Amino acid sequence: MIKSIVKAGVCGFTTTIVADSQDSQNVSFQIESDCDKITELASGLPVVDAYSEIGAGFDGVVHERVKVVMRGCCSGCVVPCAIFKSMQVAAGLALPKDIAITMGKG
């Protein structure tokens, strides 16, 4: 099981992602968020085959769900990336490591 906490940025929303895999392949999610869009995204996210997701790239179940729900300004949200990375770690296909984006005017 992996737990990821995402502070999405200027929107102020926080999302908690719990990804779990009992067989190192099929991953289930428990996602809680202050954001209505992420809550909607999470509500339609099934158990996914992590190997298939990686092979499918942006055509996998996770990213297809993101394309349906995350439109407009939400297209740049970092939470979908965190969901995908959490899936990889839960299945043992990646190591857990913090991710950071630091922004400021140059």
Side-chain angles (χ1 to χ4, degrees), residues 3-106:
K3 182 177 182 180
S4 303
I5 299 172
V6 182
K7 295 181 186 273
V10 72
C11 65
F13 295 133
T14 300
T15 299
T16 302
I17 304 161
V18 176
D20 190 32
S21 178
Q22 300 299 312
D23 61 2
S24 296
Q25 183 170 349
N26 297 292
V27 179
S28 62
F29 299 96
Q30 293 178 349
I31 300 172
E32 295 180 8
S33 183
D34 303 331
C35 175
D36 291 339
K37 288 278 191 179
I38 298 300
T39 300
E40 181 182 350
L41 171 67
S43 71
L45 202 56
V47 172
V48 297
D49 179 328
Y51 289 93
S52 293
E53 288 297 293
I54 290 172
F58 286 103
D59 294 323
V61 173
V62 172
H63 284 105
E64 286 296 327
R65 181 82 182 128
V66 169
K67 287 180 202 174
V68 169
V69 175
M70 307 295 285
R71 300 226 181 257
C73 67
C74 294
S75 294
C77 181
V78 299
V79 174
C81 177
I83 293 170
F84 196 87
K85 292 302 284 184
S86 297
M87 173 207 69
Q88 289 177 310
V89 174
L93 300 172
L95 296 173
K97 179 74 174 156
D98 287 348
I99 301 166
I101 298 173
T102 304
M103 291 191 175
K105 291 189 173 188

